[in-house]
Amino acid sequence: MGSKIEIKARLNGPYLVPGQATYTDAQGNTHTSEGKMIALCRCGHSANKPFCDGSHKKVEFQAPEVVLQVSVESSE
Ligand code: FES
C-alpha cells in the first residue's frame, strides 16, 4: 500500500521533503538526517550537496514556489 508525501519547492529556495533520510556518502558511510524535514538544494550552489546550505540567498537564486504531491509505493 502506498502513501503520499508533499514536497515543497520554496520560493527562491530549496526543496523541502518531509521526514528523515538515511543516505550513503561517496565513501560508503551511512548517515541519518536529523529533524522532521530535509532541505535539498535546487540552485546548484550548495557546498553540502545534495543538501541546502543557504547559498541560494548569496547567489540570489530565483525560482517559483511549487508544491508536488508524490505517491510513494511501498517496496515491502
Ligand atoms: S537551494 Fe539552498 S543552497 Fe541551493
Side-chain angles (χ1 to χ4, degrees):
M1 177 136 183
S3 60
K4 288 191 175 190
I5 62 169
E6 186 174 279
I7 299 173
K8 292 181 183 173
R10 293 197 61 194
L11 177 66
N12 305 329
Y15 295 108
L16 299 179
V17 182
Q20 280 191 316
T22 299
Y23 59 98
T24 304
D25 63 23
Q27 287 74 41
N29 302 310
T30 300
H31 306 270
T32 300
S33 66
E34 297 180 6
K36 297 179 179 178
M37 187 75 67
I38 304 158
L40 298 175
C41 178
R42 73 170 169 151
C43 76
H45 292 275
S46 174
N48 189 31
K49 292 183 188 81
F51 304 103
C52 171
D53 70 355
S55 294
H56 58 272
K57 295 175 189 164
K58 293 181 204 160
V59 300
E60 299 181 3
F61 175 70
Q62 294 187 345
E65 182 172 285
V66 179
V67 178
L68 304 165
Q69 304 286 334
V70 180
S71 296
V72 180
E73 295 298 322
S74 174
S75 60
E76 297 175 7

